[in-house]
Amino acid sequence: MASAPVRVRFCPSPTGNPHVGLVRTALFNWAYARHTGGSLVLRIEDTDAARDSEESYVQLLDALRWLGLDWDEGPEVGGPHAPYRQSQRMDLYRDVAEKLQAAGHAYRCYCTTEELDARRDAARAAGRPSGYDGHCRDLSAEQRAAYEAEGRGSIVRFRMPDEPITFTDLVRGELTFTPENVPDYGIVRANGAPLYTLVNPVDDALMGITHVLRGEDLLSSTPRQVALYQALIELDLASEVPSFGHLPYVMGEGNKKLSKRDPQSSLNLYRERGFLPEGLLNYLSLLGWSLSADRDIFSMDEMVAAFDIADVNGNPARFDLKKAEAINADHIRMLDPKAFADACAPWLKAPHAPWAPENFDPAAFDALAPLAQTRVTVLSDITANVDFLFLDEPVEDEASWAKAMKPGADALLTTARAKIAEAEWTAGSLKNAVLAAGEEHGLKLGKAQAPVRVATTGRTVGLPLFESLELLGRDRTLARIDAALAKLGA
Ligand code: GLU
Ligand code: ZN
């Protein structure tokens, strides 16, 4: 039997800034759609007007575009199930809620918060299950009328079946939830607003979603959704319960769940630091999946070719910033030189670059770029690596100065200046000049070049010094050494 084409969805709520957990979910859904030749639906779950924002919606789409995670149906793309923003689908939900009530799958619950709380506390005290107790499940028409007459508000509750719910999680295997653990739950607020518990599975059904891949934090809502799905099938509003796969938790510092509020989890941070999308995605793919035991670095094409939900590991994954950086650095090295220069471009101008725009010299940058490419971890590192070329004066870095300009530095610099002034202007001759100066003062090259580096670039670390000086040119190099000597009082 040929199975139906895979249809997965990514359905974020537009609240706050996009975070890495969200990106991991989007990535796994995208990779599964691409691997199977299926479709990825992007749906915006914006039914909570108090928390959702247009700004967050715009950021989400922008983030997905930047990452290269394209969708086949959804906002800006359209599709047969439009609209794809839940705020524009309210009539549909109202209609489904009516049908569920008419068929007895849902009912009006008139309990007040105080009543619910009091009964829950009593149940707890007696050691009974403390979820909703089914008080309004089978109200008679008279009882309902009496509550209405009292002017009580009511929510709509879904009636859970009396049998256990079992499903096979694609990551965790077979799971069973007993009725005591999954009480009847609200699907429409007293003010008529439909809740996530309703709109999410209803849209999955109406949009023909075959696989629900999402974070483990949503596992507890799955038995409810399976039951709701079964009701929708009975009403001919759905055809089949989708498969569910819950992606493992991502743990941050101190082995605590990485939270949205964790600064490390903000996608914007990675963009602003100059992660490559493919570097970040490569890292995030490892949070619960791997290409093979001995390969951490791969392209998205390679991930797509290999990705299967069955290979996702259910154990919590640890978010490791250092590893993310190392993987990104590897992706930077893999760029061809032109692509690297292009990727650097935004960091070579305001507001990132500290130099006057007219000082920027593309030819000098292109000459240094290959040296920088093997050294930067994130693209924003490029600025500090090349600023000595484009600033009128080298940066003033107190720590570097203190480290390199120890007693004796002035004598070394004086000798080095004289030799540099006479050297042929090539990296090789410049190196010999500093080497010779060092010998006169009993210093190895590393020690001898430190004051020269700080005098000319402002920093103790940077690109290979003699190639840098070759580009900086004789006049500027000597002028900077002179300025350092003056500062040293020599
Ligand atoms: N809008 C929900 C969320 O962002 C979607 C959850 C789901 O994937 O079912 O948490
Ligand atoms: Zn009730």
Side-chain angles (χ1 to χ4, degrees), residues 132-455:
Y132 183 68
D133 56 4
H135 180 271
C136 304
R137 268 194 151 198
D138 301 300
L139 293 181
S140 65
E142 292 76 40
Q143 284 168 311
R144 264 206 306 277
Y147 281 142
E148 301 274 352
E150 273 179 47
R152 285 186 183 234
S154 62
I155 66 164
V156 180
R157 257 186 215 282
F158 184 77
R159 185 191 303 272
M160 284 295 291
D162 297 321
E163 308 78 49
I165 299 280
T166 295
F167 61 91
T168 303
D169 188 283
L170 297 167
V171 176
R172 270 147 244 279
E174 190 176 286
L175 299 172
T176 296
F177 293 78
T178 56
E180 309 82 81
N181 291 317
V182 195
D184 296 351
Y185 60 95
I187 56 175
V188 179
R189 279 190 224 275
N191 67 6
L195 290 164
Y196 162 77
T197 50
L198 177 71
V199 300
N200 177 276
V202 163
D203 277 344
D204 285 347
L206 298 180
M207 295 180 177
I209 298 304
T210 58
H211 295 73
V212 171
L213 312 177
R214 60 184 176 188
E216 186 173 346
D217 51 323
L218 291 156
L219 183 58
S220 63
S221 60
T222 304
R224 299 165 161 195
Q225 295 183 357
V226 169
L228 179 52
Y229 242 99
Q230 285 161 349
L232 295 174
I233 291 171
E234 221 184 277
L235 294 172
D236 251 344
L237 292 169
S239 49
E240 230 182 309
V241 180
S243 303
F244 289 85
H246 292 88
L247 311 176
Y249 282 119
V250 179
M251 313 306 280
E253 295 294 326
N255 226 28
K256 284 210 298 277
K257 249 181 72 190
L258 191 69
S259 106
K260 277 190 209 182
R261 283 162 294 279
D262 238 307
Q264 274 200 11
S265 75
S266 159
L267 177 67
N268 290 342
L269 178 89
Y270 297 90
R271 285 182 78 169
E272 279 156 21
R273 291 189 61 206
F275 267 73
L276 297 175
E278 59 270 34
L280 184 62
L281 290 177
N282 182 167
Y283 176 66
L284 295 179
S285 75
L286 301 176
L287 299 174
W289 184 77
S290 64
L291 182 72
S292 71
D294 55 358
R295 266 191 73 198
D296 274 352
I297 311 291
F298 43 83
S299 69
M300 283 302 104
D301 285 348
E302 290 172 294
M303 178 184 183
V304 164
F307 186 77
D308 191 348
I309 296 297
D311 299 332
V312 171
N313 183 329
N315 295 327
R318 199 170 70 83
F319 189 84
D320 179 346
L321 183 59
K322 283 275 166 293
K323 182 157 182 185
E325 289 175 345
I327 286 179
N328 191 65
D330 275 322
H331 278 271
I332 287 181
R333 318 252 182 290
M334 290 182 323
L335 294 175
D336 70 53
K338 168 84 171 78
F340 174 68
D342 288 348
C344 287
W347 275 270
L348 301 174
K349 50 187 189 227
H352 303 290
W355 51 79
E358 63 274 16
N359 280 8
F360 183 70
D361 173 355
F365 175 76
D366 287 347
L368 266 190
L371 296 175
Q373 188 171 358
T374 61
R375 286 171 174 78
V376 298
T377 298
V378 289
L379 294 169
S380 60
D381 290 348
I382 191 66
T383 315
N385 273 283
V386 300
D387 62 0
F388 73 94
L389 265 184
F390 310 125
L391 287 169
D392 293 329
E393 315 281 338
V395 291
E396 280 183 44
D397 179 46
E398 301 283 345
S400 290
W401 183 272
K403 203 163 153 194
M405 302 303 188
K406 299 260 163 64
D410 49 350
L412 178 277
L413 268 182
T414 305
T415 311
R417 192 217 185 271
K419 298 200 185 295
I420 286 173
E422 271 160 25
E424 191 195 332
W425 209 255
T426 63
S429 308
L430 290 163
K431 179 177 174 183
N432 288 335
V434 173
L435 200 60
E439 266 164 24
E440 282 186 23
H441 295 267
L443 295 172
K444 294 226 169 69
L445 181 64
K447 287 256 186 274
Q449 76 173 19
V452 178
R453 181 187 284 284
V454 172

